[in-house]
Amino acid sequence: MNYAPPPIEQPSEPPQRRSFFGLLAKAQAITFSTLLHAVIIIVLGGTVLLKVQQEPPDFTAEGGDLVTNEIVTTTPPKTEPQLQPTEFAPSTDSAAPSVAAPSVMAALTTSAQTNVSLNASPTLTPTLKMSTEMTKPLTTAPPALKGTLSKDMATKIAGFTAGWAKGGTTSMGKPLKSREFEFTAYLAKYQGGDWDSTVWFRDGKPEVAGGSLPNLLYLVGKLSKGKIRAEPQPVPLDLASDDIFVKKPPFIWFTGHRDFKLTDQEITNLAEYLRSGGCLWGDSSVPGQRSRFDIAFRREMLRLVPPGEHWFALPANHPIYAASYFTDIHGVAPGVNFYDEPVYALIGYGGSVAVLYTANDYGDMWQFGLDDNYEFDTTRDEKRRMVAINEEMWHRRGLYFRNIEPKPLVESYKFGTNIIVHLLTRWEDKVRNAPRMF
């Protein structure tokens, strides 16, 4: 008979020990889960905080307070989302113009051939608090127009504008396309800011070698079949000098990216120039509203017109649209990146437009010249430099600079012609209807 020993009974764990290890395992799981959630929250939360921190305020007031305003903005078409380009570094080739993307807000520097330093000192470009007037929305209703010109003002304006139309007063009232005009055009050189942001200089000379104003005036002559003749003056017009009253330009081209503040002498000269019959045409090199130049230009221009005047958008029945030189241009021609802000204006002494403001960055569009067939003018000089096109912008069209094709360029040049013709003729009816001058 086989004998099997009885199984040896293993001592069982006390209930208290089993409970302790179970709780310990649960505690480890809870601790690991808590740490994992903490890491996720810190990573994601830190990302959001960094994104918020990287969005600095665009303007600072005196004393470091943030300046806010309530200016109504216009959103570009949704089909063409706006890019956020980075600033282009100046070219190492001293013959090539420098360029920055139109939406760049930072201070810009020019290439080596520019003799004027554009790194404005704080005393020239102070940050100013927004006035009550500047916080008002840009309105579409023009102010009530004044009555007829006084005899003295009509005499003054007639003398200032007499040389713009060939044939003088005998050509007034004739169809626009049958008339001929000849005038001088200038780029405004003002204290502070980057007044030459859409033109370029070469070979160390202070004369404008190409860019927005030369291309515009060439195309105006071409489109008008030679009936509107203007040569851009190569030396920019110093707004603090008396040349403004000697040359008697119908308008002065005023552009830039930066904040600026006009000097007392510039204010004195420009106010007198407007009272004499001239006009300032401002064009922001940053399309849309709320850029530094946009706010500075509208603020400074209010210092030139009678108290109580305000900015307004030209209505659809304004002569620039309704009695234009090129009737196939309906409304505003889209600018860089398809911006289509209306034309804004200020009424000056005498009840006519004193300041025009286009916020669609036509200046950068007009750094692309067109040839006789209205195609891109890719002509190069003896040094292989493009003559009519900003070469750095040429290589970045379609990326940083959209809406840059011959067809929209022709439309923008025609729209510029409509504006110029209005500025050449806007005083004629008022002068003819004024009290007898003799």
Side-chain angles (χ1 to χ4, degrees):
M1 179 175 178
N2 294 330
Y3 174 79
I8 300 174
E9 293 184 3
Q10 299 296 327
S12 61
E13 293 182 3
Q16 294 85 352
R17 187 176 180 182
R18 288 198 304 269
S19 175
F20 171 79
F21 283 108
L23 292 174
L24 180 60
K26 291 181 180 180
Q28 288 177 339
I30 294 173
T31 302
F32 177 80
S33 175
T34 303
L35 290 175
L36 180 60
H37 280 78
V39 170
I40 293 174
I41 292 172
I42 291 173
V43 171
L44 296 180
T47 301
V48 173
L49 288 174
L50 284 175
K51 288 184 178 180
V52 173
Q53 183 65 25
Q54 290 171 355
E55 296 290 336
D58 195 22
F59 299 94
T60 55
E62 295 172 347
D65 296 329
L66 175 65
V67 175
T68 59
N69 54 51
E70 302 174 357
I71 300 172
V72 177
T73 58
T74 299
T75 304
K78 294 183 179 179
T79 56
E80 293 294 335
Q82 301 304 304
L83 301 179
Q84 296 298 325
T86 56
E87 182 175 352
F88 299 155
S91 171
T92 55
D93 180 5
S94 61
S98 64
V99 61
S103 61
V104 173
M105 303 294 185
L108 307 180
T109 55
T110 57
S111 53
Q113 78 277 4
T114 305
N115 292 344
V116 180
S117 173
L118 298 185
N119 294 321
S121 66
T123 58
L124 294 180
T125 56
T127 53
L128 302 178
K129 291 185 177 180
M130 302 288 288
S131 66
T132 303
E133 178 64 33
M134 288 302 297
T135 61
K136 293 180 179 178
L138 292 171
T139 168
T140 57
L145 296 181
K146 284 71 177 175
T148 58
L149 298 177
S150 66
K151 176 181 176 181
D152 291 341
M153 182 166 283
T155 302
K156 181 177 183 178
I157 292 175
F160 191 87
T161 64
W164 299 347
K166 190 173 182 179
T169 57
T170 60
S171 68
M172 294 182 183
K174 295 182 179 179
L176 285 177
K177 289 194 174 181
S178 68
R179 301 181 62 183
E180 296 184 45
F181 301 91
E182 189 168 359
F183 62 94
T184 304
Y186 284 94
L187 171 69
K189 178 183 177 182
Y190 56 91
Q191 289 292 330
D194 51 342
W195 49 268
D196 56 354
S197 61
T198 62
V199 298
W200 62 80
F201 306 85
R202 282 177 173 160
D203 302 325
K205 296 180 181 179
E207 293 89 6
V208 175
S212 58
L213 189 58
N215 282 342
L216 171 62
L217 298 181
Y218 171 79
L219 265 299
V220 166
K222 182 70 179 175
L223 290 165
S224 67
K225 302 184 181 343
K227 291 185 177 181
I228 305 174
R229 297 181 295 276
E231 288 294 331
Q233 293 301 308
V235 179
L237 180 63
D238 187 346
L239 301 184
S241 73
D242 292 335
D243 289 345
I244 192 172
F245 305 110
V246 176
K247 305 300 182 181
K248 300 178 181 179
F251 70 91
I252 300 173
W253 177 252
F254 201 117
T255 188
H257 296 83
R258 297 177 177 173
D259 183 20
F260 65 92
K261 186 176 186 298
L262 297 175
T263 67
D264 291 343
Q265 187 59 53
E266 288 171 338
I267 290 293
T268 299
N269 283 1
L270 290 177
E272 179 59 26
Y273 167 69
L274 297 182
R275 284 193 292 268
S276 299
C279 181
L280 291 175
W281 180 358
D283 181 75
S284 177
S285 295
V286 184
Q289 296 183 35
R290 293 182 177 235
S291 71
R292 287 177 171 83
F293 179 86
D294 172 78
I295 292 180
F297 181 79
R298 292 190 289 110
R299 180 193 66 222
E300 295 301 293
M301 293 303 105
L302 287 171
R303 301 170 62 191
L304 305 176
V305 296
E309 296 294 346
H310 63 269
W311 286 100
F312 67 96
L314 295 183
N317 62 352
H318 191 274
I320 286 179
Y321 308 129
S324 58
Y325 193 83
F326 289 107
T327 57
D328 58 321
I329 302 300
H330 305 288
V332 176
V336 168
N337 295 347
F338 299 91
Y339 272 82
D340 58 354
E341 291 272 345
V343 177
Y344 300 108
L346 283 175
I347 297 296
Y349 296 94
S352 187
V353 169
V355 183
L356 277 177
Y357 178 45
T358 49
N360 297 322
D361 193 12
Y362 296 118
D364 277 325
M365 287 194 79
W366 295 337
Q367 291 199 68
F368 293 84
L370 302 176
D371 60 19
D372 291 345
N373 297 316
Y374 302 110
E375 298 293 335
F376 286 122
D377 186 351
T378 57
T379 304
R380 295 179 180 271
D381 63 14
E382 67 281 357
K383 295 184 179 181
R384 302 300 301 159
R385 300 173 299 193
M386 298 187 86
V387 174
I389 294 178
N390 184 313
E391 194 155 1
E392 291 189 44
M393 294 177 67
W394 172 255
H395 295 300
R396 291 167 172 83
R397 71 191 190 281
L399 178 60
Y400 293 100
F401 305 93
R402 296 188 174 186
N403 200 31
I404 305 297
E405 295 294 339
K407 185 177 184 296
L409 283 174
V410 170
E411 292 176 353
S412 70
Y413 280 118
K414 284 185 174 182
F415 185 61
T417 304
N418 288 348
I419 291 177
I420 289 175
V421 171
H422 173 69
L423 297 181
L424 289 167
T425 60
R426 73 191 193 283
W427 287 112
E428 292 181 347
D429 287 342
K430 285 183 172 292
V431 168
R432 284 190 300 174
N433 295 327
R436 294 181 60 86
M437 293 182 288
F438 306 104

